[in-house]
Amino acid sequence: MRRADRLFQIVQLIRGRRLSTAAFLAERLEVSQRTIYRDVADLQHQGVPIEGEAGVGYRLGAGFDLPPLMFSQGEANALVAAARLAQAWLDAGLAREVEGALGKILSVLPPEARVAAEAQALYAPSVGLGPRAQATLQTLREAVHSRHVVQIDYADVQGRPSVRRLRPLGCFYWGKVWTLSAWCELRDDFRGFRIDRIATLTVLPEQFRQEPGKTLADMLRQIEAEMAARPPSLNDEAPCA
C-alpha cells in the first residue's frame, strides 16, 4: 500500500470509531505500531485534527470531514449482503431505514458496479421475526433509546408467567432469537428476556437515569467476568429470566 493511501485509510479508520488504538490501526493496515505513530504525527502536522496520543488512542476532532467517497466493488457487495440479511431480522422501522440507505448507496455506484452488487446470489428469506416480535423489538429499541421503564408479561422457558418492571438496556441478536437485556426491578439484578416470549409490553411514562451498577456497561463487565471464571461450553446461551 502506498503511504498516501495508508494515511487516507488511517483517517477513515479513526473517523469511524470513538477511539482507535495504534495496535488496532497497525493490525488493520498490516504495519508496525511505530509506523502508525509516525503517520499520525505527520497527519497532525498537516492540520488533520487527530486527538489523542501514543499508548492511549486516537479520535478525530469535531468539524473535520473528507469529500464523499466512492465504494469499491467489494464494499458495495458487502453492504448489499448485510442489508438483505438485516431486513429479515430487524423491526419494520429499521428495515425501512436500511432499504433507504441501500438505495442511496446503490445510487452513487457506476452502472456496472450497481448491477454486480444487486446480482449477488445471497438472500435472506423473510422467515425471520414475525409481525408481533417485530413490533415488540421496535418498541423496546425505542424504549432503550428514550430510557423509559417498561412492564412486560413474560413466560420463561418452563412456561411460568411473571410480570416484570424493567430498565431496558439493549437488544441483542443471537442468530435465532432476539433478547432484551435489562435491569429487572423484581430480581434487583440484570436479566435477559427472549423477545418472542413477551406476551404483552407496556412502555411506562417513567424514565430512568443511569445509575452506577445498573448500566449496560456494568452488565457487560459482569458477563465478561463470569465467562472468564468458568470453562468454555459449546452449549452456552444468552441468560434469560
Side-chain angles (χ1 to χ4, degrees), residues 31 48 54 71 94 106 118 132 184 222 240:
V31 295
V48 179
F71 294 104
L94 274 182
L106 293 174
E118 291 183 312
R132 186 171 68 85
C184 178
Q222 178 178 308
C240 290

Side-chain angles (χ1 to χ4, degrees), residues 94-129:
L94 274 182
R96 285 192 297 270
E97 298 297 335
V98 168
E99 184 176 359
L102 181 58
K104 293 178 180 178
I105 291 168
L106 293 174
S107 69
V108 302
L109 295 176
E112 298 83 359
R114 176 171 183 168
V115 170
E118 291 183 312
Q120 292 184 95
L122 191 154
Y123 303 95
S126 56
V127 294
L129 295 180

Side-chain angles (χ1 to χ4, degrees), residues 94-238:
L94 274 182
R96 285 192 297 270
E97 298 297 335
V98 168
E99 184 176 359
L102 181 58
K104 293 178 180 178
I105 291 168
L106 293 174
S107 69
V108 302
L109 295 176
E112 298 83 359
R114 176 171 183 168
V115 170
E118 291 183 312
Q120 292 184 95
L122 191 154
Y123 303 95
S126 56
V127 294
L129 295 180
R132 186 171 68 85
Q134 283 187 330
T136 301
L137 174 60
Q138 180 168 344
T139 301
L140 289 172
R141 178 174 57 80
E142 293 169 351
V144 169
H145 180 73
S146 63
R147 295 183 184 172
H148 274 87
V149 177
V150 301
Q151 181 172 298
I152 64 172
D153 291 297
Y154 187 73
D156 65 15
V157 66
Q158 283 82 33
R160 296 173 297 193
S162 63
V163 177
R164 309 289 186 101
R165 272 175 53 96
L166 309 172
R167 298 183 178 192
L169 302 176
C171 298
F172 292 80
Y173 178 58
W174 298 92
K176 295 181 179 179
V177 298
W178 279 92
T179 62
L180 168 72
S181 291
W183 178 265
C184 178
E185 295 185 358
L186 177 66
R187 302 301 185 194
D188 196 31
D189 200 356
F190 299 112
R191 287 292 187 273
F193 301 87
R194 278 184 52 156
I195 287 178
D196 58 352
R197 293 181 186 157
I198 296 175
T200 61
L201 166 65
T202 303
V203 180
L204 304 177
E206 177 186 351
Q207 290 181 283
F208 61 91
R209 294 180 297 175
Q210 296 277 36
E211 296 183 29
K214 299 182 180 181
T215 68
L216 179 61
D218 293 320
M219 185 199 76
L220 295 175
R221 282 193 290 268
Q222 178 178 308
I223 292 174
E224 184 177 356
E226 291 173 353
M227 292 181 66
R230 68 182 182 183
S233 171
L234 295 177
N235 298 318
D236 284 348
E237 295 183 355

